[in-house]
Amino acid sequence: MAPYFIGIDIGTQGARVVLLDAAGTVLASAAEVFPLSEESREEQSPEVWWAACVTSLKALKTSVPDVDFTEVLAMAVTSTSGTVIPLDAQHQPLHNAIMYSDKRSGKQAKICTAAAVKYHNKGFTAFNSSSALAKIVWFGDTYPEKAAQIAKWIHAADYITGKLSGRWGLTDYTNAFKTGYDVSDYEWPEYLYTHLPLKKSWLPEVFPSGTVIGTLDPAVAASLGLPASIQVTVGITDGCASQIASGAVKPGEWNTTIGTTMVIKGVTKKQIVDEEGRIYSHRHPAGYWMPGGASNTGADWVTNEFGDNLEALGKAAEKLIPTDLIAYPLRQHGERFPMVAPDAVGFEPEGLSMAERFTANMEGVAYLERFSFELIQGFTNEKISAVFTAGGGSNSEVWLKIRSNVLNLPIYKMKEVSGAVGAAILAASNTHFSSLADAVTALTTIDKEVHPEPELAAVYDKNYHRFLNLLLEKGYIKKGELHA
């Protein structure tokens, strides 16, 4: 059903594009893998991204010959947060993209954090090596001759948006956030260019995600076989795009993605300013806040320790829940959210069967998820109405049941939850719909929903408080951090 929308996701390993219709159906998708090397975690070529994007868009078009592409209304791009590119005056990259996963800017991150705390102690101040601002300072320290030629710094999504539209030096709230942009006052703070080695002219103009900035460049349109009338919007970070696809875009709605780690993102009316850096707040296109946090605990233990027998273990878990076992499946040293506990290590009772271990660890992640939401509510006093979910951990029906009852909230899983779909919905939000909320309502479909059962929820409530008491005993949390 026309009109149509294109979403583009530039990931770490490849480009993916989708074609979404006005009913939210993914009509086609295409992907192109990047040629990767040992250095790809640190630097990648933006030209390679663009070539993969072009190949994918052409493949997308030929895969659906019955679709009239003159009815494609808009397109948007999402990519990894923290990946930045220095451009010269002709909008050409002066260097490879410095990837979000590049850890070489650790020293500069401390300098950025110190400057932010001293001169602009509001909003985001917890810069680390994955933050774009640290990479910009590192690049100037490492390549002073190239830095002298910089006309503009842009983010990964901005580069593809620029190639598509011919509009350069533009970005969005979510990408600018960890580059130091003040999303409260909508400005680049002065300390960035008075107390850090940046130039004001390097900083892009910032818009709400989904703002239309132009149409497809005529030469690009001709090469792709697409109409030049397609509207191009500023993009969004990959985590926020996935949040959009999950359905969580209104105040009180939250998304939990359980992949290797557990990432929680939601929408609030009030900004969360967390001095411990556990939670940071993006700016919603409608002016709300999009706070989030990422745990070191997730579902990495599932495939690593139980991957050969998941179906049987899931059936066994159905018969075991609720257990009275308290486990915490942290598989690395230290936790960052919902508590900062650098000495934390995972734990579980000894002598358990495989099925008991599997079940107890699923319950442990659910307890940590509930603690995360209680931490957030302690800041906002805003009710959490529903949890939308994504990631590999959301594929387990018994885990969804456990989580719904531990949280005592409904959990919804959407049919399509990829970043590319989120970008397509974003493209529709200001072109075919009047808001992002309207676009999400129209373009997302609930694939599965789970509601709490009063008796099960009551048992899990008691066990949850036992879990908290154990964290207290081990010193991973403090009494003052409990909000329940």
Side-chain angles (χ1 to χ4, degrees), residues 260-264 293-298 328 330 335-338 368 372:
T260 302
T261 60
M262 179 176 69
V263 179
I264 291 177
S295 172
N296 288 337
T297 310
Y328 171 33
L330 176 65
E335 184 57 277
R336 54 184 169 150
F337 174 78
L368 201 70
S372 302

Side-chain angles (χ1 to χ4, degrees), residues 60-335:
L60 183 81
K61 187 170 185 290
T62 57
S63 69
V64 278
D66 296 337
V67 170
D68 182 358
F69 274 77
T70 63
E71 296 194 87
V72 175
L73 189 58
M75 62 202 313
V77 185
T78 183
S79 191
T80 49
S81 172
T83 298
V84 285
I85 307 151
L87 298 183
D88 65 16
Q90 286 72 47
H91 318 304
Q92 298 301 309
L94 285 162
H95 192 86
N96 280 336
I98 313 299
M99 298 297 291
Y100 73 99
S101 48
D102 179 7
K103 299 187 183 302
R104 293 175 293 179
S105 55
K107 181 179 109 177
Q108 288 78 10
K110 292 177 182 177
I111 293 169
C112 293
T113 294
V117 169
K118 185 173 182 179
Y119 300 110
H120 196 79
N121 194 14
K122 59 194 288 269
F124 188 76
T125 57
F127 296 100
N128 56 33
S129 62
S130 67
S131 305
L133 181 60
K135 298 177 191 307
I136 291 172
V137 175
W138 172 85
F139 185 83
D141 291 346
T142 310
Y143 299 101
E145 292 181 4
K146 288 185 177 181
Q149 304 173 57
I150 294 172
K152 199 71 69 176
W153 275 98
I154 63 169
H155 307 88
D158 308 335
Y159 179 78
I160 301 300
T161 300
K163 295 291 282 186
L164 290 167
S165 66
R167 297 285 310 279
W168 296 93
L170 310 175
T171 193
D172 69 281
Y173 295 158
T174 66
N175 274 296
F177 180 57
K178 291 186 181 179
T179 316
Y181 184 74
D182 186 333
V183 290
S184 298
D185 294 337
Y186 302 106
E187 65 180 11
W188 292 106
E190 283 189 10
Y191 86 91
L192 294 173
Y193 43 88
T194 57
H195 291 91
L196 290 175
L198 276 69
K199 292 182 180 178
K200 188 176 182 180
S201 60
W202 289 353
L203 303 170
E205 193 174 355
V206 188
F207 297 89
S209 296
T211 301
V212 176
I213 57 166
T215 53
L216 200 56
D217 179 88
V220 171
S223 69
L224 293 172
L226 295 173
S229 59
I230 295 177
Q231 297 174 77
V232 180
T233 81
V234 287
I236 197 165
T237 59
D238 53 353
C240 291
S242 296
Q243 179 181 340
I244 289 170
S246 81
V249 295
K250 298 175 187 173
E253 296 178 343
W254 288 81
N255 167 248
T256 301
T257 298
I258 300 180
T260 302
T261 60
M262 179 176 69
V263 179
I264 291 177
K265 292 176 177 288
V267 183
T268 59
K269 295 177 182 177
K270 180 181 178 181
Q271 182 185 14
I272 294 176
V273 179
D274 178 17
E275 292 180 359
E276 291 193 41
R278 295 162 295 183
I279 304 167
Y280 55 87
S281 294
H282 282 298
R283 199 75 196 234
H284 191 288
Y288 300 122
W289 296 93
M290 298 169 75
S295 172
N296 288 337
T297 310
D300 52 345
W301 55 273
V302 176
T303 49
N304 291 340
E305 299 168 31
F306 302 94
D308 295 336
N309 205 18
L310 286 179
E311 187 175 346
L313 287 169
K315 290 177 181 176
E318 280 277 6
K319 297 175 182 177
L320 289 171
I321 62 170
T323 77
D324 61 356
L325 305 167
I326 304 299
Y328 171 33
L330 176 65
R331 293 298 184 258
Q332 54 183 289
H333 195 88
E335 184 57 277

Side-chain angles (χ1 to χ4, degrees), residues 349-400:
E350 294 181 0
L352 301 183
S353 68
M354 189 74 83
E356 287 171 330
R357 286 188 62 224
F358 181 69
T359 309
N361 282 316
M362 285 193 293
E363 290 173 332
V365 174
Y367 297 144
L368 201 70
E369 183 180 8
R370 175 168 166 178
F371 183 46
S372 302
F373 285 129
E374 289 183 354
L375 172 71
I376 288 159
Q377 284 183 296
F379 280 104
T380 65
N381 291 316
E382 295 177 24
K383 183 182 177 185
I384 292 171
S385 57
V387 175
F388 297 80
T389 194
S394 65
N395 294 327
S396 166
E397 294 199 16
V398 67
W399 206 351
L400 290 175

